[in-house]
Amino acid sequence: MDGIRFTLNGTEVTYGGNATDRLLDVLRDSYHCTSVKCGCKEGECGACAALIDGVLYNSCCVALGAVSGASVVTMEGFRETERFTALEKAFGEFSAVQCGFCIPGMTLAAEALLSKNPHPTEEEIREGLSGNLCRCTGYNAIVNAVANAAREGDGLW
Amino acid sequence: MVNGYAAASLREALEIRASRDVVPYAGGTDLMIENRKGVRYLFLNKVPELKAVAVDDRYVRIGAAVTFTEALACPDVPRLMKEALSRIAAPAIRNAGTFGGNLGNGSAKADTALIEVAADGKVCLASAEGGRVVDVDKFYLGRKKLDLADNELITEILLPKKGLEQYSYEKVGGREALAISRVSFAGVFAAENGKITNIAAAFGAVADTILRYKDIEAMLLGKTVQEAKGLKADYLNAYAQRMTLTRGRVSAEYRKRVCMNLLNGFLTKFGI
Ligand SMILES: Cc1cc2nc3c(=O)[nH]c(=O)nc-3n(C[C@H](O)[C@H](O)[C@H](O)COP(=O)(O)OP(=O)(O)OC[C@H]3O[C@@H](n4cnc5c(N)ncnc54)[C@H](O)[C@@H]3O)c2cc1C
Ligand code: FES
Ligand code: FES
């Protein structure tokens, strides 16, 4: 039987396992994308976020069969982009990272938001990140960092 | 693919549904949490016929695999539905969750189903043999029981194009924090020549199915707002008598009080 073909961070891959397997587990265990974190497996925390054809999903709520033919991007791929550099700089400047567990998901949620809305209001940033839980920062530093990345990285999104 | 079928057209999807033991998969946001073992999925997320929003002379027709995010961006989707959609979870869930999945889950907590019941919406079902259209409130047969045959798929949700302009929508207790105790309410009001022509009231998440009592609504149909005011106490009393609510994390009495307050607020909003 044919495997499931998709693009992972720009590389064509073929997954030979079950179509019902969880994207989160496959990304971590088969493709070693360990930036994708498991915080709940219930769709509530956003730590497992991935971009599928540019759209933000929680990979714990996605079965492999659903990504057949799609382009999947995780932090391992996104970190090669200029947009990432702008977000990384802002997160650093605003001390928006503590333990770091939520940060890959936060960053991809910020990317998804900014690619639709390059100049979001504070409220829009909070809404864009509302599916991503953080146990450490209290969110304000992250929200400010995203706002700053949008300002400083003007033109990137 | 192993243990899965990706359908490229509705026809193909219906053939697979008829000939194999498969579980329809749209956005996966309920299925992947349930995490059923030993099943095979029929992937509907790329079936073009299920991904469209269309408008005919009477209805806005929303494809079963249209996601909440897609519907929010679509100018044809009624404002009442959008209000409910915008309060569902967070972007990543709205990007995946679909109308068909929300109904297919059979839950009385399904936010789009509440709107469909209040709006006299319909659900279109199809099998390889043909199609049928069912009122959304009749589609729910009981707790997690749907009028959906093993060879059928939900294809479209129909909402009336007109008549949903005046409404109340309330969702008490966000899912994240208070999933079990929440109550949701949708009311639709319409009047013509000073007479009430619609006063639909639906309650979600408080019983095994979404509650709507058309016979009690009938008390106020054809009445003027003034006349309805006079009947208000009897009308509210009829609801209070009829509603038997399940106990959640909070008591059934508390939930009932919330429901009655929401209903009262709906009437007051339209001058009753
Ligand atoms: C974190 C989180 C928050 C949530 N918040 C809310 C909320 O606020 N409000 C709310 O209403 N829901 C909420 N949900 C539940 C869920 O997102 C919705 O019920 C959603 O609509 C499910 O759609 P789906 O496409 O993901 O369904 P799936 O998981 O793909 O399917 C759900 C069920 O429907 C069946 N099905 C799907 N499509 C069809 C079809 N075309 N024909 C026949 N059967 C079909 C499937 O077989 C399955 O039984 C939440 C879920 C999560 C994980
Ligand atoms: S692990 Fe997927 S949302 Fe928490
Ligand atoms: S930095 Fe620790 S969870 Fe967000």
Side-chain angles (χ1 to χ4, degrees), chain B residues 77-145:
Chain B
V77 173
R79 202 157 45 95
L80 166 58
M81 180 59 89
K82 285 188 174 171
E83 201 156 309
L85 294 174
S86 67
R87 294 184 56 185
I88 292 179
I93 297 294
R94 293 197 295 268
N95 289 342
T98 66
F99 287 81
N102 208 216
L103 275 183
N105 181 32
S107 162
K109 292 181 186 164
D111 287 321
T112 65
L114 175 77
I115 304 302
E116 289 149 17
V117 168
D120 292 309
K122 294 174 190 295
V123 52
C124 302
L125 307 169
S127 71
E129 270 102 72
R132 61 194 179 104
V133 182
V134 181
D135 292 345
V136 173
D137 60 349
K138 299 207 178 75
F139 186 59
Y140 279 82
L141 301 177
R143 196 183 134 68
K144 295 256 166 194
K145 276 203 214 91

Coordinates of all heavy atoms in Angstrom, one line a residue, chain B residues 77-145:
Chain B
V77 N -22.3 34.0 5.4 CA -22.7 33.3 6.7 C -23.4 34.3 7.6 O -22.8 35.4 7.9 CB -21.5 32.7 7.3 CG1 -21.8 32.1 8.7 CG2 -20.9 31.6 6.4
P78 N -24.6 34.0 8.1 CA -25.3 35.0 8.9 C -24.5 35.4 10.2 O -23.8 34.6 10.8 CB -26.6 34.2 9.3 CG -26.7 33.1 8.3 CD -25.3 32.8 7.9
R79 N -24.8 36.6 10.6 CA -24.1 37.2 11.7 C -24.3 36.4 13.0 O -23.4 36.2 13.8 CB -24.6 38.7 11.9 CG -23.7 39.6 12.7 CD -24.1 41.1 12.3 NE -25.5 41.3 12.3 CZ -26.2 41.8 13.4 NH1 -25.6 42.1 14.5 NH2 -27.5 41.9 13.3
L80 N -25.5 35.9 13.2 CA -25.7 35.1 14.4 C -24.8 33.9 14.5 O -24.2 33.6 15.5 CB -27.2 34.6 14.4 CG -27.6 33.5 15.4 CD1 -27.3 33.9 16.8 CD2 -29.1 33.1 15.2
M81 N -24.6 33.2 13.3 CA -23.7 32.1 13.3 C -22.3 32.5 13.6 O -21.5 31.9 14.3 CB -23.8 31.3 12.0 CG -22.9 30.1 11.8 SD -23.2 28.8 13.1 CE -24.4 27.8 12.3
K82 N -21.9 33.6 13.0 CA -20.5 34.1 13.2 C -20.3 34.5 14.6 O -19.2 34.3 15.1 CB -20.3 35.3 12.3 CG -20.1 35.0 10.9 CD -19.6 36.1 10.1 CE -19.3 35.7 8.6 NZ -19.0 36.8 7.7
E83 N -21.3 35.0 15.3 CA -21.1 35.3 16.7 C -20.7 34.1 17.5 O -19.9 34.1 18.3 CB -22.3 36.0 17.3 CG -22.0 36.8 18.5 CD -23.0 37.9 18.7 OE1 -23.3 38.7 17.8 OE2 -23.4 38.0 19.9
A84 N -21.4 33.0 17.2 CA -21.2 31.7 17.9 C -19.8 31.2 17.5 O -19.0 30.8 18.4 CB -22.2 30.7 17.6
L85 N -19.5 31.3 16.2 CA -18.2 30.8 15.7 C -17.0 31.5 16.4 O -16.0 30.9 16.8 CB -18.1 30.9 14.2 CG -19.0 30.1 13.4 CD1 -18.9 30.5 11.9 CD2 -18.8 28.6 13.5
S86 N -17.1 32.8 16.5 CA -16.0 33.6 17.0 C -15.7 33.2 18.5 O -14.6 33.5 19.0 CB -16.2 35.1 16.8 OG -17.3 35.4 17.7
R87 N -16.7 32.6 19.1 CA -16.5 32.3 20.6 C -16.1 30.8 20.8 O -16.0 30.3 21.9 CB -17.7 32.7 21.4 CG -17.8 34.2 21.3 CD -18.9 34.7 22.2 NE -18.8 34.3 23.6 CZ -19.7 34.6 24.5 NH1 -20.7 35.3 24.1 NH2 -19.5 34.2 25.7
I88 N -15.9 30.1 19.7 CA -15.4 28.7 19.8 C -13.9 28.6 20.0 O -13.2 29.1 19.2 CB -15.8 27.9 18.6 CG1 -17.3 27.7 18.5 CG2 -15.1 26.5 18.5 CD1 -17.8 26.9 17.3
A89 N -13.5 28.1 21.1 CA -12.1 27.8 21.4 C -11.1 28.9 20.9 O -11.3 30.1 21.1 CB -11.7 26.4 20.8
A90 N -10.0 28.5 20.2 CA -8.9 29.3 19.8 C -8.7 29.1 18.3 O -9.2 28.1 17.7 CB -7.7 29.0 20.6
P91 N -7.8 30.0 17.7 CA -7.6 29.9 16.2 C -7.3 28.4 15.7 O -7.9 28.0 14.7 CB -6.5 30.8 16.0 CG -6.5 31.8 17.0 CD -7.1 31.1 18.2
A92 N -6.4 27.7 16.4 CA -6.0 26.4 15.8 C -7.1 25.4 15.8 O -7.2 24.6 14.9 CB -4.8 25.9 16.6
I93 N -8.1 25.6 16.7 CA -9.2 24.7 16.7 C -10.2 25.1 15.7 O -10.8 24.3 14.9 CB -9.9 24.6 18.1 CG1 -8.9 24.1 19.2 CG2 -11.2 23.8 18.1 CD1 -8.6 22.6 19.0
R94 N -10.4 26.5 15.6 CA -11.3 27.0 14.6 C -10.8 26.7 13.1 O -11.6 26.6 12.2 CB -11.6 28.5 14.7 CG -12.3 28.8 16.0 CD -12.9 30.2 16.0 NE -11.9 31.2 15.9 CZ -11.3 31.8 17.0 NH1 -11.7 31.5 18.2 NH2 -10.4 32.8 16.9
N95 N -9.5 26.6 13.0 CA -8.9 26.3 11.7 C -9.2 24.9 11.3 O -9.2 24.5 10.1 CB -7.4 26.5 11.7 CG -7.0 27.9 11.8 OD1 -7.8 28.8 11.5 ND2 -5.8 28.2 12.2
A96 N -9.5 24.0 12.2 CA -9.7 22.6 11.9 C -11.1 22.2 12.0 O -11.7 21.4 11.2 CB -8.8 21.7 12.9
G97 N -11.8 22.7 13.0 CA -13.2 22.2 13.3 C -14.2 22.6 12.2 O -14.1 23.7 11.6
T98 N -15.1 21.7 11.9 CA -16.0 21.9 10.8 C -17.5 21.8 11.3 O -17.8 21.3 12.4 CB -15.8 20.8 9.8 OG1 -16.2 19.5 10.3 CG2 -14.4 20.7 9.3
F99 N -18.4 22.2 10.4 CA -19.8 22.1 10.7 C -20.3 20.7 10.8 O -21.1 20.3 11.7 CB -20.6 22.9 9.7 CG -20.4 24.4 9.8 CD1 -19.3 25.0 9.3 CD2 -21.4 25.2 10.5 CE1 -19.2 26.4 9.5 CE2 -21.3 26.5 10.6 CZ -20.1 27.2 10.1
G100 N -19.9 19.9 9.9 CA -20.3 18.5 9.9 C -19.8 17.8 11.1 O -20.5 17.0 11.7
G101 N -18.6 18.1 11.5 CA -18.0 17.4 12.7 C -18.7 17.9 14.0 O -18.9 17.1 14.9
N102 N -19.1 19.1 14.0 CA -19.8 19.6 15.2 C -21.1 18.9 15.3 O -21.5 18.5 16.5 CB -20.0 21.1 15.0 CG -20.1 21.9 16.3 OD1 -20.8 22.9 16.4 ND2 -19.3 21.5 17.3
L103 N -21.8 18.7 14.2 CA -23.1 17.9 14.3 C -22.8 16.4 14.5 O -23.5 15.8 15.3 CB -23.9 18.1 13.0 CG -24.8 19.2 12.8 CD1 -25.5 19.1 11.4 CD2 -25.8 19.3 13.9
G104 N -21.8 15.9 13.8 CA -21.5 14.5 13.8 C -21.1 14.0 15.1 O -21.3 12.8 15.5
N105 N -20.6 14.8 16.0 CA -20.3 14.5 17.3 C -21.5 14.2 18.2 O -21.4 13.5 19.2 CB -19.5 15.7 17.8 CG -19.0 15.5 19.2 OD1 -18.7 14.4 19.6 ND2 -18.9 16.6 19.9
G106 N -22.6 14.7 17.8 CA -23.9 14.4 18.5 C -24.0 15.1 19.9 O -24.9 14.7 20.7
S107 N -23.2 16.1 20.2 CA -23.2 16.6 21.5 C -24.2 17.8 21.6 O -24.3 18.6 20.7 CB -21.8 17.1 21.8 OG -21.8 18.1 22.9
A108 N -24.8 17.9 22.7 CA -25.7 19.0 23.0 C -25.0 20.3 23.3 O -25.5 21.4 23.5 CB -26.7 18.7 24.1
K109 N -23.6 20.2 23.4 CA -22.8 21.3 23.6 C -22.3 22.0 22.3 O -21.6 23.0 22.4 CB -21.6 21.0 24.4 CG -21.9 20.5 25.8 CD -20.6 20.2 26.6 CE -20.9 19.6 27.9 NZ -19.8 19.0 28.6
A110 N -22.6 21.4 21.2 CA -22.1 21.8 19.9 C -22.7 23.2 19.6 O -23.9 23.4 19.5 CB -22.5 20.9 18.8
D111 N -21.8 24.2 19.5 CA -22.2 25.6 19.4 C -22.9 25.9 18.1 O -23.8 26.7 18.1 CB -21.1 26.5 19.7 CG -20.7 26.6 21.1 OD1 -21.6 26.6 22.0 OD2 -19.5 26.6 21.4
T112 N -22.4 25.3 17.0 CA -23.1 25.6 15.7 C -24.4 24.9 15.6 O -25.4 25.4 15.0 CB -22.2 25.2 14.5 OG1 -22.1 23.8 14.4 CG2 -20.9 25.9 14.5
A113 N -24.6 23.8 16.3 CA -25.8 23.0 16.3 C -26.9 23.9 17.0 O -28.1 23.9 16.6 CB -25.7 21.7 16.9
L114 N -26.5 24.5 18.1 CA -27.5 25.4 18.8 C -28.1 26.4 17.9 O -29.3 26.7 17.9 CB -26.8 26.1 20.0 CG -27.6 27.1 20.8 CD1 -28.6 26.4 21.7 CD2 -26.8 28.0 21.6
I115 N -27.2 27.1 17.1 CA -27.7 28.1 16.2 C -28.6 27.5 15.1 O -29.6 28.1 14.8 CB -26.5 28.8 15.5 CG1 -25.5 29.4 16.5 CG2 -26.9 29.9 14.5 CD1 -26.0 30.4 17.5
E116 N -28.2 26.3 14.6 CA -29.0 25.7 13.6 C -30.4 25.3 14.2 O -31.4 25.5 13.5 CB -28.3 24.4 13.1 CG -27.1 24.8 12.2 CD -25.9 23.8 12.3 OE1 -26.2 22.7 12.7 OE2 -24.8 24.2 11.9
V117 N -30.5 24.9 15.4 CA -31.8 24.6 16.0 C -32.6 25.8 16.2 O -33.8 25.9 15.8 CB -31.6 23.8 17.3 CG1 -32.9 23.7 18.1 CG2 -31.0 22.4 17.1
A118 N -32.0 26.9 16.7 CA -32.7 28.1 16.9 C -33.2 28.7 15.6 O -34.2 29.4 15.5 CB -31.8 29.1 17.7
A119 N -32.4 28.5 14.5 CA -32.6 29.2 13.2 C -33.5 28.3 12.3 O -33.7 28.6 11.2 CB -31.3 29.5 12.5
D120 N -34.1 27.2 12.8 CA -34.8 26.3 12.0 C -34.0 25.8 10.8 O -34.4 25.7 9.7 CB -36.1 26.9 11.5 CG -37.1 27.1 12.6 OD1 -37.4 26.2 13.4 OD2 -37.6 28.2 12.7
G121 N -32.7 25.5 11.1 CA -31.8 25.0 10.1 C -32.1 23.6 9.7 O -32.8 22.8 10.4
K122 N -31.5 23.2 8.6 CA -31.7 21.8 8.1 C -30.3 21.2 7.8 O -29.3 21.9 7.6 CB -32.5 21.8 6.8 CG -33.9 22.2 7.0 CD -34.7 22.3 5.7 CE -36.0 23.0 5.9 NZ -37.0 22.3 6.7
V123 N -30.3 19.9 7.8 CA -29.0 19.2 7.5 C -29.3 18.3 6.3 O -30.3 17.6 6.2 CB -28.5 18.4 8.8 CG1 -29.5 17.5 9.4 CG2 -27.2 17.6 8.4
C124 N -28.4 18.4 5.3 CA -28.5 17.5 4.1 C -27.6 16.3 4.3 O -26.4 16.4 4.6 CB -28.0 18.3 2.9 SG -28.9 19.8 2.6
L125 N -28.2 15.2 4.1 CA -27.5 13.9 4.2 C -27.4 13.2 2.8 O -28.4 13.4 2.1 CB -28.2 13.0 5.2 CG -28.5 13.7 6.6 CD1 -29.4 12.8 7.4 CD2 -27.2 13.9 7.3
A126 N -26.4 12.5 2.6 CA -26.3 11.8 1.3 C -25.7 10.4 1.5 O -24.9 10.2 2.4 CB -25.4 12.6 0.3
S127 N -26.2 9.5 0.6 CA -25.6 8.2 0.6 C -25.4 7.9 -0.9 O -25.8 8.7 -1.8 CB -26.5 7.1 1.2 OG -27.6 6.9 0.4
A128 N -24.8 6.8 -1.3 CA -24.6 6.5 -2.7 C -25.9 6.3 -3.4 O -26.0 6.5 -4.6 CB -23.8 5.2 -2.8
E129 N -27.0 6.0 -2.6 CA -28.3 5.9 -3.2 C -29.1 7.2 -3.4 O -30.0 7.2 -4.2 CB -29.2 5.0 -2.3 CG -29.1 3.5 -2.6 CD -28.2 2.8 -1.5 OE1 -28.7 2.7 -0.4 OE2 -27.1 2.5 -1.9
G130 N -28.7 8.2 -2.7 CA -29.5 9.5 -2.8 C -29.3 10.3 -1.6 O -28.5 10.1 -0.8
G131 N -30.2 11.4 -1.5 CA -30.0 12.3 -0.4 C -31.3 12.5 0.3 O -32.4 12.2 -0.2
R132 N -31.2 13.1 1.5 CA -32.4 13.6 2.2 C -32.1 14.8 3.0 O -30.9 15.0 3.3 CB -33.0 12.4 3.0 CG -32.1 11.9 4.1 CD -32.6 10.6 4.7 NE -31.7 10.2 5.7 CZ -31.9 10.2 7.0 NH1 -33.0 10.8 7.5 NH2 -30.9 9.8 7.9
V133 N -33.1 15.5 3.4 CA -32.9 16.7 4.2 C -33.7 16.6 5.4 O -34.9 16.2 5.4 CB -33.4 18.0 3.4 CG1 -33.2 19.3 4.1 CG2 -32.7 18.0 2.0
V134 N -33.1 16.9 6.6 CA -33.7 16.7 7.9 C -33.6 18.0 8.7 O -32.6 18.7 8.6 CB -33.0 15.5 8.7 CG1 -33.7 15.3 10.0 CG2 -33.0 14.3 7.8
D135 N -34.7 18.3 9.4 CA -34.6 19.5 10.4 C -33.5 19.2 11.4 O -33.5 18.0 11.9 CB -35.9 19.7 11.1 CG -37.0 20.2 10.1 OD1 -36.6 20.6 9.0 OD2 -38.2 20.1 10.5
V136 N -32.6 20.1 11.7 CA -31.5 19.8 12.6 C -32.1 19.3 14.0 O -31.5 18.4 14.6 CB -30.6 21.1 12.8 CG1 -29.6 20.8 13.9 CG2 -29.9 21.4 11.4
D137 N -33.2 19.9 14.4 CA -33.6 19.5 15.8 C -34.1 18.0 15.7 O -34.0 17.3 16.7 CB -34.7 20.4 16.4 CG -35.9 20.6 15.5 OD1 -35.9 20.1 14.4 OD2 -36.9 21.1 16.0
K138 N -34.6 17.5 14.6 CA -35.0 16.1 14.5 C -33.8 15.2 14.2 O -33.9 14.0 14.4 CB -36.0 16.0 13.4 CG -37.3 16.8 13.6 CD -38.5 16.1 12.9 CE -39.7 16.9 13.2 NZ -39.8 18.1 12.4
F139 N -32.7 15.8 13.8 CA -31.5 15.0 13.5 C -30.9 14.4 14.8 O -30.3 13.4 14.8 CB -30.4 15.9 12.8 CG -29.2 15.2 12.4 CD1 -29.3 14.2 11.5 CD2 -27.9 15.6 12.8 CE1 -28.1 13.5 11.0 CE2 -26.8 15.0 12.4 CZ -26.9 14.0 11.5
Y140 N -31.1 15.1 15.9 CA -30.7 14.6 17.2 C -31.7 13.7 17.8 O -32.8 14.2 18.1 CB -30.5 15.8 18.2 CG -29.2 16.6 18.0 CD1 -29.1 17.5 17.1 CD2 -28.1 16.3 18.9 CE1 -27.9 18.2 16.9 CE2 -26.9 17.0 18.8 CZ -26.8 18.0 17.8 OH -25.6 18.6 17.6
L141 N -31.4 12.5 18.0 CA -32.4 11.5 18.5 C -32.4 11.4 20.0 O -33.3 10.9 20.6 CB -32.3 10.2 17.8 CG -32.4 10.2 16.3 CD1 -32.2 8.8 15.7 CD2 -33.8 10.7 15.9
G142 N -31.2 11.7 20.6 CA -31.0 11.5 22.0 C -29.5 11.7 22.3 O -28.8 12.2 21.4
R143 N -29.1 11.4 23.5 CA -27.8 11.6 23.9 C -26.8 10.9 22.9 O -26.9 9.7 22.8 CB -27.5 11.1 25.3 CG -26.2 11.6 25.9 CD -26.0 11.1 27.3 NE -24.6 10.6 27.4 CZ -23.6 11.4 27.4 NH1 -23.8 12.7 27.3 NH2 -22.4 11.0 27.5
K144 N -26.0 11.6 22.2 CA -25.1 11.1 21.2 C -25.7 10.2 20.2 O -25.0 9.3 19.6 CB -24.0 10.3 22.0 CG -23.1 11.2 22.9 CD -21.8 11.5 22.2 CE -21.1 12.6 22.9 NZ -19.9 13.2 22.2
K145 N -27.0 10.3 20.0 CA -27.7 9.5 18.9 C -28.2 10.4 17.8 O -28.9 11.4 18.1 CB -28.9 8.8 19.5 CG -28.5 7.5 20.2 CD -29.7 6.5 20.3 CE -29.6 5.7 21.5 NZ -30.2 6.2 22.7

